[in-house]
């Protein structure tokens, strides 16, 4: 019997996320970037200490497709540690890594250009055979789908958006079939992908996604051709095939990007793999905590006491904190930042949002927001931000695709 292969699967690093941070004078780096890099250190430490046979990164290394040289250096230093430990490491290309023009380089292509030992960049669909310390491992790679590459010019020009999504989804299913057919049947096999799977639970990031995002049906990937499906793209960790084989797993991101991820654990996956069998577990990392404190003081004779009470219920030390206070216009003068901020002392980052009773309805000219469609609300919002009607159409067009999404569970 061959010994099983031990694999570390992680995804969605997004180095360069700086919101809620500030510059650290010692390193010159934004402290939130330092958080993300610490998590990557923990991943690399774990892989080396546990003698991983392979590391599979499921895409989105940086926040943007043009990361700055400092962020590139920090990422490369950590990949170098895996390379020096002779751990085969696959870097899959996610949507945040893809150049706008096909001829240009992805943000991780430099590793293949320099032929960094043991590091493989996967920027197109394909089948890798990795020689690990515990034998061969097959890795089928499916990076983020680029419409222009998967469709013919004719299709791309003439199909409407729903038909386009259908066509791309169909193309991906075809590619999955072809990759599966190339696999040797007796070798442990992983599918490594960066895309959305039907019925996956989204956190808030769906709201900030722009552009197209095709969805692959779960039935197309929950196939025993694969012993484990390692996914990236959605930041919330989840197994989409919990009752059956193989596991279809989003490892999720390593750090919280915003308050939408407040409730999500953050970490990576460790898999002990044999042909026909995957024992895997989720390893949680000490990501920085996010806390939303919401206090409605409109009926409170002593609003400050009510706020103090809510603050005392949370551990704010080192956390990113937002305090939302629902108040009346009369209460506003006694609840200024100078009064509230000291209550949040010890937080890593604190922000105060005042939700003043009158404001929302005034901007809506007396209309009840509950009676308005999302399109109406977005239009009103853009108008109050000084946009003219003609500029609003493209926003609505993009937003409609989001509004039409079925209610997300997360
Ligand atoms: Mn992504």
């Amino acid at each position: 019997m061959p010994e099983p292969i031990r694999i570390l699967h992680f995804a969605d690093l997004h180095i360069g996320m700086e919101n809620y941070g500030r510059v650290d004078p010692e390193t010159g780096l934004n402290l939130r970037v330092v958080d993300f890099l610490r998590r990557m250190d923990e991943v690399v430490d774990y892989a080396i200490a546990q003698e991983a046979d392979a590391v599979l990164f499921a895409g989105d290394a940086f926040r943007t497709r043009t990361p700055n040289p400092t962020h590139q250096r920090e990422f490369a230093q950590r990949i170098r540690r895996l390379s020096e430990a002779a751990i085969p490491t696959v870097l899959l290309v996610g949507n945040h890594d893809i150049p706008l023009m096909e001829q240009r380089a992805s943000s991780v292509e430099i590793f293949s250009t320099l032929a960094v030992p043991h590091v493989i960049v996967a920027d197109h669909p394909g089948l890798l055979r990795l020689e690990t310390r515990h034998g061969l491992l097959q890795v089928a790679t499916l990076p983020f789908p680029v419409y222009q590459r998967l469709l013919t010019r004719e299709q791309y020009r003439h199909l409407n958006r729903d038909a386009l999504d259908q066509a791309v989804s169909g193309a991906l299913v075809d590619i999955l079939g072809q990759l599966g057919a190339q696999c040797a049947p007796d070798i442990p096999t992983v599918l490594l992908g960066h895309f959305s799977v039907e019925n996956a639970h989204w956190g808030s990031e769906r709201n900030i996604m722009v552009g197209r995002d095709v969805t692959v049906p779960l039935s197309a990937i929950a196939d025993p051709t694969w012993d484990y499906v390692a996914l990236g793209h959605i930041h919330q960790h989840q197994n989409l095939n919990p009752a059956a084989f193989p596991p279809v797993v989003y490892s999720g991101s390593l750090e919280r990007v915003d308050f939408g991820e407040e409730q999500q654990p953050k970490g990576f996956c460790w898999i002990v793999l044999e042909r026909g069998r995957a024992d895997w577990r989720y390893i949680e990392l000490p990501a920085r905590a996010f806390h939303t404190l919401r206090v409605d003081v409109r009926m409170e004779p002593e609003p400050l006491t009510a706020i103090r009470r809510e603050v005392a219920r949370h551990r704010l030390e080192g956390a990113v904190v937002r305090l939302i206070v629902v108040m009346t216009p009369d209460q506003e003068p006694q609840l200024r930042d100078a009064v509230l901020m000291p209550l949040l002392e010890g937080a890593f980052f604190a922000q105060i949002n005042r939700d003043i009773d009158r404001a929302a309805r005034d901007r809506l000219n007396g209309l009840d927001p509950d009676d308005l469609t999302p399109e109406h609300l977005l239009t009103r919002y853009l108008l109050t931000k000084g946009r003219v009607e003609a500029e609003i159409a493209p926003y609505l067009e993009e937003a409609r695709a989001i509004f039409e999404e079925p209610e997300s569970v997360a």
Side-chain angles (χ1 to χ4, degrees):
M1 265 304 277
E3 271 191 76
I5 297 177
R6 290 158 309 169
I7 299 167
L8 190 151
H9 158 214
F10 76 114
D12 295 277
L13 258 172
H14 291 295
I15 293 169
M17 286 284 181
E18 298 186 332
N19 37 356
Y20 317 116
R22 57 185 178 275
V23 172
D24 171 21
E26 213 164 288
T27 59
L29 289 166
N30 184 288
L31 281 168
R32 281 298 284 152
V33 172
V34 173
D35 284 346
F36 283 70
L37 293 172
R38 284 211 183 113
R39 299 293 88 76
M40 188 178 176
D41 285 334
E42 288 155 8
V43 166
V44 172
D45 289 346
Y46 194 96
I48 293 172
Q50 302 295 318
E51 300 183 5
D53 295 312
V55 170
L56 304 180
F57 173 63
D60 281 357
F62 299 100
R63 183 175 72 85
T64 70
R65 51 175 60 92
T66 52
N68 76 41
T70 310
H71 295 164
Q72 291 181 54
R73 177 192 68 196
E74 296 297 318
F75 179 72
Q77 279 175 349
R78 288 156 178 88
I79 294 299
R80 176 178 170 169
R81 289 184 59 211
L82 293 171
S83 172
E84 287 177 348
I87 300 174
T89 299
V90 181
L91 304 178
L92 187 73
V93 170
N95 51 315
H96 288 256
D97 310 316
I98 290 180
L100 278 175
M101 273 179 70
E102 190 164 2
Q103 296 83 352
R104 296 185 189 159
S106 77
S107 58
V108 289
E109 200 169 312
I110 190 72
F111 295 95
S112 67
T113 305
L114 295 174
V116 176
H118 309 289
V119 177
I120 299 153
V121 174
D123 55 7
H124 61 275
L127 183 64
L128 304 171
R129 282 216 171 91
L130 306 181
E131 286 200 37
T132 80
R133 282 177 283 228
H134 290 107
L136 282 177
L137 171 67
Q138 293 180 124
V139 181
T141 58
L142 195 47
F144 187 77
V146 178
Y147 278 51
Q148 291 87 330
R149 275 188 226 169
L150 291 168
L151 300 176
T152 63
R153 233 192 156 78
E154 282 301 292
Q155 282 175 311
Y156 195 72
R157 273 204 197 135
H158 299 299
L159 296 179
N160 67 33
R161 40 195 317 150
D162 287 345
L164 270 177
D165 292 347
Q166 283 292 324
V168 169
S169 185
L172 292 180
V173 172
D174 289 348
I175 290 170
L176 284 166
Q178 290 159 20
L179 292 173
Q182 292 170 37
C183 290
D186 49 346
I187 299 174
T189 304
V190 173
L191 170 62
L192 177 64
H194 190 97
F195 48 79
S196 299
V197 177
E198 224 168 69
N199 299 328
H201 294 189
W202 284 82
S204 64
E205 85 245 53
R206 178 63 126 207
N207 305 329
I208 55 166
M209 279 258 330
V210 287
R212 315 296 342 210
D213 190 44
V214 71
T215 302
V216 179
L218 178 61
S219 59
I221 51 172
D223 183 304
T225 304
W226 325 115
D227 299 310
Y228 179 89
V229 180
L231 296 173
H233 192 42
I234 296 181
H235 293 179
Q236 181 172 347
H237 166 61
Q238 57 200 296
N239 175 13
L240 293 171
N241 195 27
F245 183 83
V248 176
V249 181
Y250 282 101
S251 61
S253 51
L254 301 183
E255 269 287 334
R256 299 181 174 91
V257 165
D258 60 30
F259 283 97
E261 299 180 31
E262 183 172 341
Q263 309 293 343
Q264 301 173 13
K266 294 290 157 194
F268 62 91
C269 298
W270 179 255
I271 307 108
V272 177
L273 197 77
E274 293 168 86
R275 185 67 187 139
R277 183 187 168 86
D279 285 324
W280 71 279
R281 60 198 171 103
Y282 180 65
I283 312 283
E284 192 173 343
L285 292 177
R288 191 173 291 286
F290 277 53
H291 294 302
T292 299
L293 282 57
R294 196 185 164 84
V295 198
D296 185 344
V297 299
R298 285 174 301 177
M299 309 293 278
E300 297 283 349
E302 288 181 66
L304 213 50
T305 310
I307 295 168
R308 277 211 188 87
R309 206 183 311 130
E310 176 62 16
V311 168
R313 292 182 48 237
H314 298 266
R315 255 189 72 110
L316 303 186
E317 195 66 39
V320 176
V321 179
R322 105 181 131 169
L323 171 63
I324 302 172
V325 185
V326 186
M327 61 180 82
T328 64
D330 296 345
Q331 290 171 320
E332 198 184 354
Q334 47 170 321
L335 297 174
R336 301 220 173 277
D337 273 5
V339 177
L340 296 182
M341 270 301 183
L343 302 182
L344 304 178
E345 219 177 48
F348 169 80
F349 177 93
Q351 75 182 37
I352 293 164
N353 299 350
R354 284 176 186 71
D355 186 347
I356 299 167
D357 212 4
R358 62 175 144 75
R361 275 153 218 269
D362 281 0
R363 284 198 300 269
L364 294 168
N365 297 330
L367 296 168
D368 185 340
D370 290 338
D371 294 338
L372 297 177
T373 63
E375 279 94 341
H376 272 117
L377 287 167
L378 180 60
T379 307
R380 298 294 322 174
Y381 171 76
L382 292 170
L383 289 173
T384 61
K385 289 280 163 188
R387 307 276 175 174
V388 296
E389 300 270 1
E391 295 174 314
I392 291 175
Y395 288 99
L396 282 176
E397 166 75 1
E398 202 56 60
R400 237 167 242 136
I402 299 166
F403 296 149
E404 284 161 13
E405 286 296 331
E407 202 81 2
S408 74
V409 187

